[in-house]
């Protein structure tokens, strides 16, 4: 297929750019997106305004542009992870904090569920886990088949097993945990229509989280660890810090409200490390219609 060939060729070409230069390109593209008032830039501004209402418009605009640049940089990181060898990627991980928490949790042989928010280069965690551990992850397949194929190839080339968010995929994750293995999911995915929902808050705003994490924890009795991957640029050189944390204890509760409160605190703890590296272009508050917000907040003003 020509489209697949062209996309692979383009991605391979992009992978030859240095990360420092690629991030400058992402910043230019971000500024251009704001001039065009794209859907992504509009959504980013709406989310930041809701979560950080006291930041001021000038600071909000700068944070929004920086955030979108980080999100655009994910495409360049995808190209690196698709074509760079493992021994070129691993040295980019300069610091791993809290690894002893992960190892202790694994040592209890109850299974470990790692919750990874849409923050920084969360894909890099798969490289780390695939190198040092036996793990499986759950993912939402892209709607475009060629993207799904390329994304799947990128993820599995670094080790680990990938399961789609289907009944069979969730069964695979449950089996992995019940056997004492390690699994990872993104807990802040916007729930699909008809999926289980937990009502919570996010920086003071009503939000709906998937009930998937709670169901997995309750069914398997596994341990839970929060993880994040933060980008660090120094003299135009890119490095990453990995952090493993204990989640708030309420995450293990069978009470949805207690679980939801602990989940939002755990995610917020990651976001405040570097607010610009959270993916604010997602419509994270989609569908949260209340008496105070009776219309879609993402409709263009």
């Amino acid at each position: 297929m020509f489209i697949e060939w062209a996309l692979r060729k383009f991605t391979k070409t992009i992978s030859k750019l240095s990360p420092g230069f690629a991030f400058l390109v992402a910043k230019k593209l971000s500024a251009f997106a704001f001039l065009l008032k794209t859907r992504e830039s509009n959504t980013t501004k709406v989310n930041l305004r809701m979560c950080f209402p006291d930041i001021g418009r000038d600071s909000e605009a700068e944070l929004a542009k920086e955030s979108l640049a980080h999100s655009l940089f994910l495409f360049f990181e995808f190209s690196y992870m698709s074509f760079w060898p493992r021994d070129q990627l691993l040295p980019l991980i300069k610091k791993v904090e809290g690894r002893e928490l992960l190892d202790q949790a694994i040592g209890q042989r109850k299974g470990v569920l790692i919750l990874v928010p849409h923050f920084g280069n969360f894909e890099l965690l798969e490289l780390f886990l695939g190198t040092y551990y036996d793990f499986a992850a759950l993912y939402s397949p892209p709607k475009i088949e060629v993207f799904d194929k390329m994304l799947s190839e990128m993820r599995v080339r670094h080790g680990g097993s990938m399961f789609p968010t289907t009944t069979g995929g969730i069964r695979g994750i449950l089996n992995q945990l019940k056997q004492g293995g390690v699994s990872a999911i993104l807990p802040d995915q916007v729930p699909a229509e008809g999926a289980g929902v937990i009502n919570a808050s996010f920086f003071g705003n009503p939000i709906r989280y998937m009930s998937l994490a709670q169901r997995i924890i309750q069914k398997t009795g596994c341990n839970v660890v929060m993880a994040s991957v933060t980008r660090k640029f120094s003299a135009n050189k890119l490095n990453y810090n990995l952090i493993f944390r204990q989640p708030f204890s309420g995450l293990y509760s069978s009470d949805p409200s207690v679980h939801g409160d602990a989940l939002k605190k755990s995610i917020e703890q990651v976001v405040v490390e570097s607010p610009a590296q959270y993916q604010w272009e997602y419509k994270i508050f989609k569908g949260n219609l209340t008496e105070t917000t009776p219309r879609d907040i993402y409709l263009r003003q």
Side-chain angles (χ1 to χ4, degrees):
M1 182 187 293
F2 174 77
I3 295 178
E4 180 178 346
W5 175 86
L7 187 57
R8 289 183 186 277
K9 192 74 173 177
F10 178 67
T11 305
K12 189 171 185 178
T13 300
I14 290 296
S15 72
K16 297 176 182 179
L17 298 176
S18 70
F21 178 74
F23 192 67
L24 290 177
V25 173
K27 291 175 73 172
K28 294 293 185 181
L29 291 174
S30 171
F32 192 55
F34 273 82
L35 283 175
L36 294 178
K37 298 182 179 180
T38 63
R39 194 280 299 169
E40 290 78 11
S41 64
N42 178 68
T43 300
T44 297
K45 287 187 289 187
V46 169
N47 286 334
L48 289 175
R49 196 166 299 160
M50 292 183 66
C51 294
F52 306 106
D54 300 325
I55 193 175
R57 288 303 172 92
D58 290 341
S59 296
E60 175 194 285
E62 289 304 310
L63 179 57
K65 290 177 184 176
E66 188 180 358
S67 171
L68 195 54
H70 276 282
S71 294
L72 288 167
F73 187 62
L74 277 168
F75 179 73
F76 295 97
E77 290 174 318
F78 167 76
S79 72
Y80 301 148
M81 294 187 69
S82 294
F83 294 101
W84 287 15
R86 184 181 301 234
D87 58 6
Q88 188 177 358
L89 290 166
L90 277 176
L92 297 178
I93 302 174
K94 293 300 183 183
K95 186 186 295 185
V96 181
E97 300 179 31
R99 185 173 181 177
E100 67 280 359
L101 294 174
L102 176 61
D103 290 338
Q104 289 170 7
I106 292 173
Q108 294 180 21
R109 301 184 184 280
K110 297 168 57 180
V112 179
L113 179 65
I114 302 177
L115 301 183
V116 195
H118 285 83
F119 175 91
N121 184 5
F122 51 89
E123 299 280 4
L124 195 72
L125 183 69
E126 295 165 8
L127 168 68
F128 177 81
L129 293 175
T131 300
Y132 301 108
Y133 303 92
D134 176 22
F135 90 104
L138 202 63
Y139 77 103
S140 296
K143 294 180 180 179
I144 301 176
E145 184 178 350
V146 63
F147 290 159
D148 183 22
K149 184 178 180 181
M150 292 180 65
L151 190 61
S152 297
E153 289 175 359
M154 181 273 289
R155 286 167 167 165
V156 300
R157 77 185 288 257
H158 297 299
S161 302
M162 304 302 300
F163 294 100
T165 50
T166 61
T167 301
I170 294 172
R171 189 181 304 118
I173 292 293
L174 292 173
N175 290 336
Q176 175 84 357
L177 291 169
K178 289 176 180 178
Q179 293 170 15
V182 178
S183 294
I185 66 171
L186 281 71
D188 51 347
Q189 199 90 19
V190 176
E193 194 70 33
V197 168
I198 287 182
N199 293 309
S201 67
F202 187 58
F203 289 100
N205 301 284
I207 196 170
R208 301 183 306 154
Y209 288 125
M210 297 186 301
S211 62
L212 179 61
Q214 187 191 37
R215 287 189 282 128
I216 290 175
I217 295 167
Q218 294 300 311
K219 285 186 177 182
T220 64
C222 64
N223 287 316
V224 183
V225 175
M226 296 294 300
S228 61
V229 183
T230 307
R231 300 181 188 93
K232 298 288 184 180
F233 282 97
S234 178
N236 286 329
K237 291 186 177 180
L238 172 65
N239 294 310
Y240 298 95
N241 287 354
L242 271 62
I243 302 178
F244 295 100
R245 288 191 180 91
Q246 291 280 15
F248 286 83
S249 60
L251 208 64
Y252 293 95
S253 175
S254 59
D255 184 329
S257 63
V258 176
H259 171 87
D261 184 63
L263 180 59
K264 76 99 175 180
K265 288 178 180 177
S266 298
I267 296 173
E268 287 177 353
Q269 189 178 50
V270 171
V271 174
V272 295
E273 289 176 22
S274 178
Q277 296 198 42
Y278 191 66
Q279 292 188 331
W280 297 105
E281 79 276 10
Y282 282 150
K283 294 183 178 182
I284 54 178
F285 299 113
K286 183 179 179 180
N288 293 337
L289 303 183
T290 66
E291 291 182 2
T292 56
T293 57
R295 60 194 295 271
D296 187 346
I297 60 172
Y298 297 110
L299 290 176
R300 292 180 183 273
Q301 302 300 314

